[in-house]
Amino acid sequence: MPGKQLSPWTLAWFGAAMLFLLLSLATAMSGAVGPGDWSRGAGFAAVHLFTLGWLCLMVMGALVQFVPVLTAQPLARPRLALPALLLGAAGTLALAAGFLWLDGHEAMRPFLRAAPVLLALSFGLTAAMIAPPLLARASRALSEVRMVLLALVALAALWISGTAMALQLGGVDRMPDILPEGLPLHVLIGIGGWLSLAAFGVSYKLFAMFLLAPEQTGPVRRAVFGAAWLALVAMLGAGAALLAGYPVGAWVFAALAVLLPIAAGFYLAEVARIWRLRRRPKPEGNMLWSRAALMFLALASILAGPGLWQGGVWAEAAIFVALAGWLSLLTLAQIIKITSFLTWIQIFAPRIGRSPVPQVQQLTDPRTDTLCLMLWSGGVAAATLSLLLSWPSVFRLSVAALFLAALAVAVELVRIRRLSHLDPSLRPASLPPVIRPVPVPVPQPEIRT
Amino acid sequence: MTLLDQIEDRLKGVLDPETGRNLIAMGMIYAIRIDGDRVEVDMSATTRGCPLAEMLRLGVETAVLGIEGVRAADVRLVWDPPWTPARMAPF
């Protein structure tokens, strides 16, 4: 059946994530966060609007869309996509509101107890959709699938650690006391576990597809998995010890300071191999800017060592580069491509073989995309420097640049959906809704009689 | 021009939207068999989970059925051997 590999709500996930990105950056611009200033309620709210609302929802939406591509099997229960998104968005808003209790807004405290429930339902529904195709016998052998499964284990650990802290802040007395020691572990599980490993897994497939490179597994890919697995075991072991009332030994962070950069290094070597073997002579903007995101991954890996050993500005810079440079730039670069691809499929796929159709890249404006992503990258670089040098005013200006870049990408996505960059002669008379795609029409072959 | 030439010519008008190259240049057309006015085509896509695969198959079917003298077309997606970039004609 045409379109069976497409989730009709993917663009709704992307749209919601973009709104959370803009909201988080607007909150940050208002002064909620800054160098050495991350632990106020508004700061925690801004950070979670970014990590949970923007990155986590985006990764979940991407998995809902791409697990069928990775596994060549349909989602198990595709109708759960919309409720999973709505619950995830509600959980994010509840958590952000709940953190405002730390700033003296007493009425917000119950939201800290509601948020974990909403998020558990969202994560559970998403797992119900993607776990069956991922766990199928034929899928489990694939390196990209194994990496995504590892990421899902990290997501469960992320929820457990986050819930323990949220409920502790929310005044639930029976929760184990894991603050503040649990916080760095929670950050590591989120960035080095869930978000990065999911990005590793999906990118193995997408990079090979976009670059027309052979899909291969091999010792380097196994080394990425091995280092990531060991790092996750260390994180889970430390988390379990903390929940049981034992302190986290310094050896855990020492081990992670070695294992996480090793995993990232092998991953970068694997992507470099894909790049070398590509048959596409001129990679498009999404891949050129993904390459910039990979450079930010390398920088985050370098900063992770001093960040884990010394904390302070090094940890702030490492976390910021990982979230805004590596994960967000990768996502922004690919969301432009994926939105144009899904729009093309929706509008032009039924015309294949019947009439001339444009290429996918004709739906985008490469110059605008380059300017947006260049502004984002410059903002990340400046913000990172301002964190290392503790310059609050430069940090705020840098975040303003990030906001402008994100806004420009959001406008560009709407223009792609409206086919604004396409020659008018190639545009259909009517266009599908910007957010909710209509089902892909089934072309009926003309039978000659 | 033989019927096979006409079919290949028509399939050169069916483009992969990502690269802008036709499916023959992409190496996605594995086999074309002609039996009177009936045509069978074996084709593939870049990956088994490709969301475009079935739509490309229908596009090929439509293109083949548009040729004078073809009354039936059976276009099948095959995954063995899997498509690899090595099947592509040089850029």
Side-chain angles (χ1 to χ4, degrees):
Chain A
M1 175 188 164
K4 70 176 180 182
Q5 310 284 30
L6 295 170
S7 169
W9 292 105
T10 298
L11 292 168
W13 284 87
F14 289 1
M18 284 301 298
L19 288 177
F20 276 116
L21 174 61
L22 292 169
L23 184 59
S24 66
L25 293 171
T27 311
M29 270 196 303
S30 71
V33 291
D37 179 18
W38 300 90
S39 53
R40 284 179 289 136
F44 279 128
V47 167
H48 283 82
L49 287 172
F50 192 93
T51 53
L52 191 53
W54 156 237
L55 287 172
C56 184
L57 286 188
M58 184 59 84
V59 169
M60 286 165 65
L63 288 179
V64 168
Q65 177 60 54
F66 290 116
V67 161
V69 179
L70 299 184
T71 63
Q73 295 188 48
L75 293 174
R77 300 165 187 87
R79 288 176 191 276
L80 298 180
L82 184 60
L85 168 61
L86 294 175
L87 286 161
T92 303
L93 290 172
L95 191 62
F99 282 128
L100 298 180
W101 167 75
L102 293 170
D103 294 344
H105 302 282
E106 188 63 36
M108 297 297 186
R109 199 174 192 188
F111 285 113
L112 285 170
R113 295 196 285 267
V117 178
L118 294 167
L119 293 171
L121 289 170
S122 175
F123 297 161
L125 294 182
T126 304
M129 285 184 283
I130 64 175
L134 287 171
L135 291 170
R137 182 188 292 266
S139 306
R140 289 197 305 263
L142 301 169
S143 57
E144 54 269 32
V145 168
R146 285 153 56 90
M147 196 61 81
V148 171
L149 286 171
L150 209 56
L152 290 175
V153 173
L155 176 62
L158 185 68
W159 179 84
I160 291 170
S161 59
T163 296
M165 288 186 279
L167 294 183
Q168 189 183 338
L169 288 175
V172 178
D173 297 333
R174 284 170 292 178
M175 290 310 296
D177 184 4
I178 68 165
L179 278 170
E181 290 80 6
L183 193 54
L185 211 51
H186 180 69
V187 172
L188 284 167
I189 293 170
I191 298 173
W194 159 233
L195 294 170
S196 289
L197 298 186
F200 284 7
V202 174
S203 65
Y204 282 156
K205 187 78 173 183
L206 289 194
F207 285 2
M209 287 172 71
F210 289 140
L211 292 170
L212 295 172
E215 293 182 30
Q216 291 175 352
T217 189
V220 178
R221 223 173 255 208
R222 285 194 289 275
V224 180
F225 185 84
W229 185 85
L230 282 173
L232 192 58
V233 166
M235 289 188 255
L236 297 184
L242 201 58
L243 287 170
Y246 297 99
V248 179
W251 67 268
V252 173
F253 294 107
L256 292 174
V258 175
L259 287 170
L260 291 175
I262 285 178
F266 279 126
Y267 167 74
L268 290 169
E270 176 65 3
V271 175
R273 186 191 65 83
I274 293 172
W275 195 278
R276 275 198 311 275
L277 294 177
R278 75 184 190 279
R279 292 291 297 270
R280 191 164 204 149
K282 289 184 181 174
E284 290 181 67
N286 64 316
M287 288 311 303
L288 295 175
W289 285 101
S290 292
R291 198 164 55 170
L294 295 169
M295 290 177 191
F296 278 122
L297 171 62
L299 178 60
S301 302
I302 292 167
L303 292 169
L308 281 161
W309 276 113
Q310 298 184 11
V313 295
W314 294 103
E316 285 180 43
I319 292 167
F320 189 86
V321 170
L323 288 173
W326 149 235
L327 292 162
S328 293
L329 181 57
L330 178 74
T331 305
L332 288 169
Q334 295 299 342
I335 194 178
I336 294 169
K337 178 70 185 180
I338 293 163
T339 300
S340 58
F341 187 68
L342 294 177
T343 303
W344 190 96
I345 288 180
Q346 196 178 344
I347 297 172
F348 296 107
R351 298 191 194 177
I352 299 173
R354 293 165 177 263
S355 58
V357 289
Q359 281 185 249
V360 174
Q361 49 264 46
Q362 286 177 264
L363 274 56
T364 63
D365 177 11
R367 189 171 167 274
T368 301
D369 303 342
T370 297
L371 288 174
C372 295
L373 298 175
M374 193 182 289
L375 181 61
W376 181 273
S377 304
V380 172
T384 304
L385 199 61
S386 73
L387 289 171
L388 284 169
L389 300 173
S390 298
W391 288 343
S393 54
V394 176
F395 180 79
R396 197 178 288 194
L397 273 176
S398 307
V399 173
L402 296 180
F403 180 84
L404 280 177
L407 189 62
V409 171
V411 170
E412 174 67 358
L413 295 180
V414 173
R415 289 174 65 79
I416 288 170
R417 292 291 295 159
R418 305 320 297 167
L419 302 183
S420 302
H421 302 305
L422 193 62
D423 189 287
S425 63
L426 292 169
R427 288 184 211 155
S430 64
L431 293 172
V434 171
I435 287 294
R436 186 183 182 280
V438 293
V440 177
V442 181
Q444 299 297 322
E446 294 161 7
I447 298 173
R448 194 174 288 277
T449 56
Chain B
M1 191 182 242
T2 66
L3 183 54
L4 180 62
D5 292 336
Q6 289 181 63
I7 293 167
E8 288 182 345
D9 195 48
R10 187 61 71 98
L11 292 184
K12 285 177 183 169
V14 182
L15 305 184
D16 167 48
E18 254 298 292
T19 59
R21 310 188 83 202
N22 67 68
L23 298 192
I24 289 179
M26 286 295 289
M28 290 180 183
I29 303 298
Y30 282 13
I32 299 170
R33 292 180 291 275
I34 301 169
D35 181 10
D37 57 4
R38 179 180 175 80
V39 175
E40 291 181 357
V41 178
D42 290 348
M43 63 171 287
S44 194
T46 53
T47 184
R48 191 164 190 160
C50 174
L52 260 181
E54 178 61 12
M55 296 173 221
L56 287 172
R57 189 195 71 78
L58 285 168
V60 168
E61 194 172 278
T62 302
V64 172
L65 283 170
I67 298 169
E68 193 72 41
V70 175
R71 292 178 64 87
D74 182 10
V75 181
R76 282 173 295 195
L77 285 166
V78 295
W79 307 108
D80 188 18
W83 182 89
T84 74
R87 301 186 73 96
M88 294 168 60
F91 270 85

